[in-house]
């Protein structure tokens, strides 16, 4: 964590202009200054100057922030809000440890994501629980975990590789959405990219870092850095939240002399899979099935990795589809790690705003690029009959099908079966 003097210097960059306010989901749903970036910065400043103590509403102000970082993208002064938030939360948690106790379900999530076998077991159970008559409090979460989709088969006529990447699996992506990871792998192979998955990799640590469990986050970061150290190729992934965390290892380990340089090198290699596909996949044909699709971009992909436009550009390359971006495409869906479990009421208000927009557009599919957004949007569609038929799907899964359709069409044309 930065020293308080440095935090105050960062805070001094904020000129209180308020440009960030309209981009902040919690300000949008409350209209309350204390639920806005400017209000939260003011609270941390008052704390740093010892004008307030850790009571005085600081807990509410800071814990209800999604850490989506839309305010950073909007800020004309380049204020690094997340550093101010992290300093405020650390101080709060150190002085009031009780403010850091999580609901049981969050504790289970933190304990599970680093244990692949346990995560696989829980996913299996969730898929079965979906069919049982559960109490509403539990039932509301089962659509989020009960996702199933068939695994894709390799795309034919894969060209010889000219590039190589290492694939970061991700704990939730590999347990709950293996079809999306596999689709991304096959798509990269069609654009001359050899894909390998190093042994020894683990959860990125995002949930622990955001929950203030810095020691666990650092331990996971070191394990990943060591696992991917061989080679200098890109490290690709299919989850905006994980990708952003991997890119930020350089900050997480900046004060550890033995790891800082290794973390910097690691972070520089991290790319979203769509960025690599966009760079190398220019000749891959993509054919949709005449559907109306929209995209919910991961806020960390947009605001931290700055790669949200790559996802849009890849999607725009698909023929025979109608793509209408959500007006709020780059705004957080309310999932935000464990936010939807800790602050369910606010999370649902943010989600319902998004679903109002989906409802008015009437798409066939909502495409996503992060597991938290996937589960959250799936939850959103099931909350009202008018959107219950909308399919939520990872962008890679959709594009894999588009590549396969284009390939099959070209073969039919070659064999004269189609005019
Ligand atoms: S990180 Fe997101 S929720 Fe938090 S203050 Fe910034 S825009 Fe608002
Ligand atoms: S964080 Fe940036 S955009 Fe928000 S009030 Fe401060 S200077 Fe303005």
């Amino acid at each position: 964590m930065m020293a308080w003097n440095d935090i105050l210097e960062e805070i001094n960059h904020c000129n209180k202009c308020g440009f960030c306010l309209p981009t902040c989901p919690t300000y949008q749903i409350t209209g309350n200054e204390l639920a806005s970036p400017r209000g939260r910065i003011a609270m941390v400043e008052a704390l740093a100057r010892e004008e307030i103590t850790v009571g005085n509403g600081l807990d509410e102000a800071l814990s209800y922030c999604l850490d989506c970082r839309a305010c950073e993208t909007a800020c004309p002064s380049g204020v690094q809000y997340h550093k101010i938030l992290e300093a405020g939360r650390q101080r709060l948690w150190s002085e009031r440890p009780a403010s850091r106790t999580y609901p049981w379900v969050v504790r289970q999530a933190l304990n599970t994501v680093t244990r692949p076998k346990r995560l696989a077991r829980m996913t299996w159970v969730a898929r079965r629980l979906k069919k049982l008559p559960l109490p509403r409090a539990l039932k509301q979460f089962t659509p989020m975990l009960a996702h199933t989709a068939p695994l894709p088969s390799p795309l034919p006529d894969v060209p010889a590789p000219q590039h190589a990447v290492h694939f970061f699996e991700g704990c939730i992506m590999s347990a709950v959405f293996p079809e999306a990871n596999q689709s991304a792998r096959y798509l990269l192979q069609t654009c001359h990219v050899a894909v390998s998955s190093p042994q020894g990799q683990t959860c990125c640590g995002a949930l622990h870092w955001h929950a203030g469990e810095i020691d666990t986050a650092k331990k996971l970061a070191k394990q990943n850095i060591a696992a991917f150290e061989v080679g200098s190729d890109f490290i690709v992934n299919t989850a905006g939240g994980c990708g952003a965390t991997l890119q930020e290892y350089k900050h997480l380990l900046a004060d550890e002399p033995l790891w800082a340089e290794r973390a910097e090198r690691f972070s520089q290699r991290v790319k979203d899979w769509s960025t690599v596909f966009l760079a190398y996949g220019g000749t891959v044909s993509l054919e949709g099935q005449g559907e109306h699709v929209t995209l919910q971009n991961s806020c960390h992909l947009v605001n931290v990795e700055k790669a949200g436009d790559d996802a849009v550009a890849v999607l725009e390359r698909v023929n025979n589809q109608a793509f209408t971006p959500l007006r709020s495409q780059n705004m957080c869906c309310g999932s935000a790690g464990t936010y939807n479990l800790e602050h369910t009421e606010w999370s649902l208000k943010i989600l319902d705003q998004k679903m109002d927009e989906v409802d008015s557009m009437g798409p066939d599919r909502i495409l996503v690029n992060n597991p938290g957004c996937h589960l959250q949007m799936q939850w959103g569609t099931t909350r009202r009959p008018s959107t219950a038929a909308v399919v939520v799907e990872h962008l890679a899964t959709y594009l894999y099908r588009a590549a396969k359709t284009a390939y099959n069409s070209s073969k039919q044309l070659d064999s004269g079966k189609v005019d």
Side-chain angles (χ1 to χ4, degrees):
M1 198 194 88
M2 287 164 81
W4 275 110
N5 277 348
D6 297 332
I7 294 296
L8 277 171
E9 204 180 310
E10 191 61 44
I11 289 172
N12 278 341
H13 293 138
C14 174
N15 58 24
K16 320 276 187 274
C17 67
F19 284 174
C20 52
L21 266 60
T23 68
C24 173
T26 55
Y27 180 72
Q28 273 199 8
I29 59 163
T30 62
N32 181 349
E33 178 75 15
L34 282 183
S36 80
R38 185 174 60 186
R40 290 172 175 133
I41 291 171
M43 290 293 270
V44 177
E45 181 175 15
L47 182 69
R49 297 192 190 285
E50 302 194 350
E51 293 161 5
I52 60 167
T53 59
V54 292
N56 297 295
L58 187 79
D59 189 354
E60 290 75 19
L62 300 190
S63 69
Y64 279 88
C65 173
L66 297 145
D67 205 1
C68 68
R69 294 168 66 168
C71 46
E72 289 188 8
T73 298
C75 177
S77 307
V79 174
Q80 297 188 67
Y81 167 82
H82 70 283
K83 293 186 175 168
I84 300 167
L85 174 72
E86 193 176 323
R89 282 182 171 172
Q90 288 294 332
R91 170 86 178 268
L92 174 70
W93 290 332
S94 68
E95 290 188 28
R96 283 181 60 192
S99 66
R100 218 179 117 193
T101 48
Y102 318 114
W104 174 86
V105 67
V106 176
R107 174 51 52 209
Q108 294 310 307
L110 290 172
N111 285 341
T112 302
V113 289
T114 53
R115 298 183 177 126
K117 282 188 185 153
R118 187 167 165 185
L119 183 55
R121 264 200 314 275
M122 279 190 65
T123 307
W124 185 88
V125 170
R127 284 175 182 149
R128 272 138 198 88
L129 283 181
K130 193 182 178 188
K131 297 175 188 135
L132 295 179
L134 292 171
R136 190 173 171 273
L138 269 180
K139 187 83 178 167
Q140 65 182 344
F141 293 113
T142 52
M144 300 168 64
L145 271 177
H147 166 87
T148 45
L151 282 176
S153 51
L155 288 163
D157 296 345
V158 171
Q162 295 168 4
H163 318 277
V165 297
H166 284 161
F167 200 87
F168 178 80
E169 302 285 342
C171 54
I172 308 274
M173 283 307 299
S174 54
V176 185
F177 303 105
E179 78 287 352
N181 274 359
Q182 195 62 276
S183 296
R185 264 192 220 102
Y186 291 150
L187 282 165
L188 289 170
Q189 286 167 358
T190 61
C191 47
H192 302 273
V193 179
V195 185
S196 60
S197 290
Q199 296 290 310
Q201 58 178 296
T202 183
C203 164
C204 67
L207 293 186
H208 300 86
W209 192 353
H210 295 302
E213 301 200 349
I214 305 290
D215 290 343
T216 307
K218 284 185 172 182
K219 192 171 151 226
L220 297 170
K222 289 171 186 173
Q223 186 174 333
N224 281 324
I225 291 168
F228 284 88
E229 210 136 42
V230 183
S232 57
D233 310 315
F234 290 140
I235 299 165
V236 300
N237 70 90
T238 53
C242 304
T245 302
L246 300 176
Q247 280 193 359
E248 301 237 286
Y249 280 178
K250 59 180 185 286
H251 301 309
L252 182 66
L253 297 170
D255 57 356
E256 295 206 20
L258 289 178
W259 285 91
E261 256 187 61
R262 293 169 74 180
E264 178 83 41
R265 278 198 300 274
F266 175 94
S267 291
Q268 278 172 0
R269 293 166 56 204
V270 176
K271 301 272 177 222
D272 189 69
W273 81 276
S274 61
T275 301
V276 178
F277 185 70
L278 188 66
Y280 297 143
T283 58
V284 178
S285 298
L286 300 166
E287 184 76 19
Q289 293 174 346
E291 291 176 315
H292 180 197
V293 299
T294 191
L295 174 71
Q296 166 58 32
N297 246 334
S298 147
C299 49
H300 281 114
L301 186 78
V302 172
N303 299 317
V304 183
E305 294 192 73
K306 308 289 183 198
D309 289 347
D310 293 347
V312 174
V314 169
L315 186 54
E316 282 175 341
R317 287 199 40 227
V318 181
N319 297 314
N320 190 28
Q321 67 169 9
F323 167 45
T324 315
L326 284 175
R327 235 185 8 266
S328 64
Q329 161 178 282
N330 292 344
M331 187 174 275
C332 180
C333 60
S335 167
T338 56
Y339 189 95
N340 52 4
L341 304 175
E342 287 178 76
H343 304 300
T344 306
E345 197 184 327
W346 284 39
S347 169
L348 286 179
K349 280 188 186 157
I350 294 165
L351 177 61
D352 284 343
Q353 266 190 353
K354 191 143 319 249
M355 296 317 296
D356 286 344
E357 211 188 325
V358 170
D359 218 348
S360 67
M361 285 169 55
D364 298 303
R365 285 174 199 274
I366 304 169
L367 304 176
V368 292
N369 40 25
N370 186 59
C373 313
H374 198 144
L375 297 168
Q376 180 86 344
M377 295 305 282
Q378 216 162 289
W379 190 10
T381 56
T382 59
R383 279 171 57 77
R384 53 179 89 181
S386 51
T387 54
V390 180
V391 177
V392 182
E393 188 169 59
H394 195 284
L395 177 63
T397 313
Y398 178 75
L399 292 175
Y400 164 87
R401 204 168 42 254
K404 198 158 185 182
T405 305
Y407 177 87
N408 289 340
S409 304
S410 72
K411 284 293 154 198
Q412 282 182 341
L413 277 173
D414 287 351
S415 65
K417 283 187 196 157
V418 173
D419 295 333

